[in-house]
Amino acid sequence: MKVRFITLSFTLILLTMISIPGQASADKPLRLVYSNKVCYEPFIIARAQNLFAKQGLNVEIKLVTGGIMAAESLMTGAADVAAMGDAPFLIAASRSPNVELLARYGGGDKMHRVIATPQLTDIHQLEGARVGVQMGSSTYGAFLAWCEHVGVNPKRIKFVSLSPLDMPQAMQSGQIDAMAGSEPWPSNVEAACGDKVHELTDFSALGSSFPLVVAAKKDVVKERQAEIDSLLKTLEKAVTFMHDHHQETVTAAAAAIGLPEQQQQQCTYQLNWGIGFTAQDEKSLNMTAEFLETLGKIDRIPKFSAYIASHPLQ
């Protein structure tokens, strides 16, 4: 009897040490990475409206200064889910087999802008100019593709690798002649430099929708599918809120991003928000992927067409 009791006790101890699928993850926060930028407003609104908690999600939010940093956090395992632009996603997915596409949540052909000094009045004057950009970002990928499309030689541009936070000062001090970025970085430069700068161009001539995507680690998707589904439902609710409550959206986004509300209004609604993919999104991702491969930025084009086809924009 004593032996049986010891054996039974040992078995019970072992059983308590074995995690039940889904139980451990329920207590562990989902590590979510994005930036306090216009391109990530559904996440900003979801947080401001407490939608994550209302959906029953336990999320640990980590803020970074750009999509390429979000992509790196996903590749290194520092994040479970991350939001980013097209180029950072393609770079991450090409380098790590553990990166999986979840959804497109926004985009727009005027997402990226180039702000320049008054001396630069023509796009071809960018050749020979010093242009500040966050290397590896979706803006950088779009810039290179745009150059090829409009006949500007990127090899003649003196790209200066800068954190977007340093761009206003770099323009003020004359360290760069122009900068490229997505909001709020161009607006920050315009606010700091006033009439000493102007918008030279955007990249709408490229014909890309510049899809914004959310991606996750494949093992996280497999082990925590219910939470991933809840996260996407949360984003859907955030986007619906953005469509139905413009002023509340602008006020919340402006508070997080730091733009004046009037400017925030314009930045928010020049982009298209919606969960799912369009045919243009697929074309745009393929365009960017092929261009990145040609430049040697990625050594393979990730497979995403089948996923996009099965997750159209609602």
Side-chain angles (χ1 to χ4, degrees):
M1 283 291 294
K2 187 175 182 180
V3 173
R4 288 181 180 178
F5 179 77
I6 293 173
T7 302
L8 179 60
S9 299
F10 184 68
T11 302
L12 289 172
I13 292 172
L14 284 177
L15 286 173
T16 61
M17 295 174 64
I18 298 173
S19 61
I20 299 171
Q23 182 173 314
S25 63
D27 299 327
K28 184 170 61 175
L30 197 65
R31 297 171 300 167
L32 171 63
V33 175
Y34 64 87
S35 303
N36 268 348
K37 289 182 57 182
V38 174
C39 296
Y40 306 93
E41 284 188 26
F43 297 89
I44 294 172
I45 297 305
R47 186 179 193 180
Q49 294 297 316
N50 202 30
L51 297 181
F52 294 116
K54 290 177 181 178
Q55 196 64 37
L57 277 171
N58 178 15
V59 296
E60 178 186 337
I61 295 172
K62 299 181 179 181
L63 299 177
V64 293
T65 57
I68 189 61
M69 295 179 69
E72 288 170 356
S73 68
L74 206 58
M75 288 188 286
T76 60
D80 299 314
V81 183
M84 62 201 75
D86 50 359
F89 163 71
L90 291 164
I91 291 170
S94 69
R95 295 178 182 175
S96 172
N98 197 31
V99 173
E100 181 173 327
L101 182 63
L102 293 180
R104 171 264 201 201
Y105 64 87
D109 63 354
K110 297 182 183 295
M111 185 184 306
H112 309 284
R113 297 198 292 142
V114 177
I115 307 300
T117 59
Q119 290 72 33
L120 298 183
T121 58
D122 183 270
I123 58 173
H124 292 90
Q125 290 178 304
L126 289 169
E127 296 181 7
R130 301 161 299 169
V131 180
V133 67
Q134 188 174 30
M135 306 301 282
S137 65
S138 56
T139 297
Y140 179 60
F143 201 148
L144 295 177
W146 172 83
C147 284
E148 181 177 87
H149 182 79
V150 298
V152 173
N153 187 347
K155 293 181 179 180
R156 294 183 179 177
I157 297 175
K158 300 173 183 177
F159 286 109
V160 180
S161 180
L162 281 177
S163 164
L165 297 174
D166 297 329
M167 290 179 181
Q169 184 178 359
M171 285 289 287
Q172 284 180 317
S173 62
Q175 296 176 50
I176 55 176
D177 306 303
M179 61 75 63
S182 56
E183 296 296 353
W185 313 137
S187 290
N188 286 347
V189 170
E190 289 173 323
C193 300
D195 59 5
K196 294 181 180 179
V197 297
H198 71 111
E199 180 181 316
L200 180 63
T201 187
D202 57 40
F203 300 150
S204 56
L206 193 57
S208 173
S209 64
F210 301 119
L212 298 164
V213 302
V214 55
K217 292 165 58 181
K218 285 185 179 179
D219 53 352
V220 170
V221 176
K222 182 178 180 181
E223 296 167 8
R224 308 175 69 172
Q225 184 65 61
E227 291 170 271
I228 295 297
D229 291 343
S230 292
L231 178 67
L232 296 181
K233 288 179 182 177
T234 301
L235 289 179
E236 287 180 358
K237 291 182 177 181
V239 168
T240 298
F241 184 91
M242 292 171 68
H243 290 317
D244 295 343
H245 304 279
H246 283 209
Q247 187 53 53
E248 288 180 72
T249 295
V250 168
T251 299
I257 297 170
L259 288 175
E261 289 198 10
Q262 184 176 358
Q263 199 165 9
Q264 182 67 61
Q265 172 86 23
Q266 180 180 353
C267 291
T268 296
Y269 294 105
Q270 75 178 2
L271 297 181
N272 304 313
W273 306 106
I275 308 301
F277 293 93
T278 66
Q280 183 61 28
D281 292 327
E282 181 176 4
K283 179 181 177 182
S284 299
L285 277 171
N286 275 309
M287 182 194 312
T288 302
E290 289 170 3
F291 189 73
L292 290 174
E293 186 180 41
T294 300
L295 291 178
K297 303 297 182 182
I298 61 176
D299 55 15
R300 68 180 182 87
I301 297 178
K303 295 179 180 179
F304 50 75
S305 294
Y307 185 90
I308 289 175
S310 62
H311 294 78
L313 185 64
Q314 300 299 316

